[in-house]
Amino acid sequence: MSDEAKWSFSQSFSVRFHSSRLDLEARINDAKSNTTISEELLQDLSIELARLVKSLADATGSIPRYDQRQYEEQVTALEIALSDVKRLSKQKPKFAFKRTAATSTPKNIPKPATAFPENLSTLPKSTTNLSLSGCSYQLLTWESLPKSSLPEDLAIQDLDHCIVNLIPSGRGSAPHSTLQISALHIQNLADTVLLLPPIEGSVLIHDLTRCTIVVGCHQYRMHTSKNVDVYLAVTSDPVIEHCSGVRFGGYPSILGSTAIPSKHHNVLDFSHIRSSPSPHWSTLDNDRVSSKWLSGNLAMTREVLDATRENMLPES
């Protein structure tokens, strides 16, 4: 980059950085004065701070060193302020009602005809959640899910040494391939492969060890996981926290098409809110992905299942 180009970039970056910093600073100060501080607000503030840190890291080498140090000091001040907000959120007193003297009430007041049923479980539910859980050394497909015509949240949990393949074959052989998954909740998996279609909602992940995930979504959040390969198409910046050994690549076209303009390399690491690159994640190319990943069938032997799964998983 020429000196003139660097100067021009430095000027434009300065405007963007200061605008974002002042806006975030104002939001943090407003949060300090709030009576209650929601978890959603704290997460939003953390995401904005992580984005600011990432923009500064990306600009390293293209802005003057003096300006870089000033920006880093300002970011540090924001980190301290946000930490104070998080601490205050745990100390905010809960609402308490004053004790009032008991007043006598007439007895034998008839109940209204529209009284709620005593057992709330008898009330009809508009939606139900699907679940795949408690399996070991199995291949799980659409056949493993109940039929449903409504958008459903899907929970995938407590699996080890499994392959979950919910990507439609495109040949009309999957009777549930029209099932709409609205959100994914994934927890406590080990040595497991998830081949999932793009969904419109969010993916929330906890406690994965040595897994491979293929998914497309609007929002991706991963917590307390290690040694995970993620092939992702996502419209917002993916977030990780308390993770290590995570690798991100794009959603493999060979496994299915997706029109999602992906931000899978714009990872925000809440455990590394610094200007230096996060040591907890890296990029991943798609060379390992093969159409053979979709060739499994329910009749495969244990030996074939193990070999197929090991070929998809990260190295130990």
Side-chain angles (χ1 to χ4, degrees):
M1 184 182 295
S2 66
D3 291 342
E4 183 178 352
K6 281 188 176 182
W7 183 88
S8 178
F9 174 84
S10 175
Q11 295 301 304
S12 61
F13 177 82
S14 177
V15 172
R16 295 193 306 272
F17 181 88
H18 284 298
S19 176
S20 299
R21 179 185 65 81
L22 291 173
D23 178 68
L24 181 56
E25 186 177 47
R27 294 183 63 195
I28 291 175
N29 290 334
D30 288 343
K32 286 182 178 180
S33 61
N34 288 344
T35 305
T36 58
I37 304 174
S38 68
E39 287 295 326
E40 183 179 2
L41 175 59
L42 290 176
Q43 187 178 57
D44 286 344
L45 293 175
S46 296
I47 289 175
E48 289 304 314
L49 179 55
R51 284 175 176 161
L52 190 65
V53 170
K54 188 175 186 302
S55 70
L56 181 56
D58 291 343
T60 300
S62 300
I63 56 178
R65 292 183 179 179
Y66 174 80
D67 291 348
Q68 175 102 19
R69 289 194 297 270
Q70 294 295 310
Y71 297 151
E72 289 174 351
E73 290 175 2
Q74 293 166 8
V75 165
T76 299
L78 290 175
E79 291 173 350
I80 294 173
L82 182 55
S83 296
D84 290 342
V85 171
K86 291 179 178 179
R87 177 176 50 80
L88 287 173
S89 70
K90 299 177 181 179
Q91 299 176 352
K92 293 287 185 180
K94 298 181 179 179
F95 287 108
F97 295 96
K98 293 182 179 180
R99 186 183 299 275
T100 57
T103 57
S104 60
T105 56
K107 296 182 179 180
N108 301 324
I109 297 179
K111 293 182 179 180
T114 57
F116 291 106
E118 294 182 3
N119 185 1
L120 294 180
S121 64
T122 63
L123 290 174
K125 297 181 180 180
S126 58
T127 59
T128 58
N129 294 331
L130 302 176
S131 176
L132 291 173
S133 63
C135 298
S136 300
Y137 295 94
Q138 292 188 35
L139 170 64
L140 304 172
T141 69
W142 290 104
E143 298 286 351
S144 309
L145 295 171
K147 294 182 180 180
S148 176
S149 59
L150 296 174
E152 302 278 1
D153 284 10
L154 173 60
I156 303 176
Q157 55 195 10
D158 302 326
L159 305 181
D160 68 272
H161 297 84
C162 289
I163 298 177
V164 179
N165 182 5
L166 301 184
I167 297 179
S169 65
R171 296 186 296 271
S173 59
H176 310 308
S177 60
T178 57
L179 175 67
Q180 301 178 51
I181 300 175
S182 53
L184 282 163
H185 306 275
I186 303 169
Q187 185 171 15
N188 193 29
L189 310 186
D191 298 281
T192 291
V193 176
L194 303 180
L195 304 178
L196 307 171
I199 67 171
E200 294 184 358
S202 60
V203 176
L204 182 60
I205 298 172
H206 289 269
D207 306 318
L208 267 62
T209 301
R210 194 176 179 243
C211 292
T212 293
I213 303 173
V214 176
V215 71
C217 57
H218 170 65
Q219 190 177 67
Y220 184 92
R221 301 284 185 268
M222 174 184 282
H223 305 271
T224 55
S225 299
K226 59 183 179 180
N227 198 15
V228 180
D229 283 353
V230 184
Y231 297 91
L232 180 66
V234 61
T235 57
S236 60
D237 295 341
V239 171
I240 63 173
E241 186 174 27
H242 305 307
C243 295
S244 62
V246 182
R247 300 192 297 176
F248 284 90
Y251 193 96
S253 59
I254 198 169
L255 300 186
S257 62
T258 172
I260 297 176
S262 185
K263 298 183 178 180
H264 54 274
H265 285 163
N266 293 351
V267 180
L268 303 179
D269 184 358
F270 283 6
S271 299
H272 187 83
I273 305 181
R274 300 179 179 87
S275 57
S276 59
S278 168
H280 303 137
W281 72 275
S282 59
T283 59
L284 175 70
D285 60 42
N286 290 18
D287 292 344
R288 294 179 61 246
V289 181
S290 166
S291 59
K292 293 181 180 179
W293 284 22
L294 299 178
S295 63
N297 60 75
L298 294 173
M300 67 167 52
T301 65
R302 169 72 177 272
E303 290 75 13
V304 174
L305 174 65
D306 289 349
T308 303
R309 186 190 62 250
E310 286 299 315
N311 183 54
M312 301 178 186
L313 288 172
E315 295 181 2
S316 300

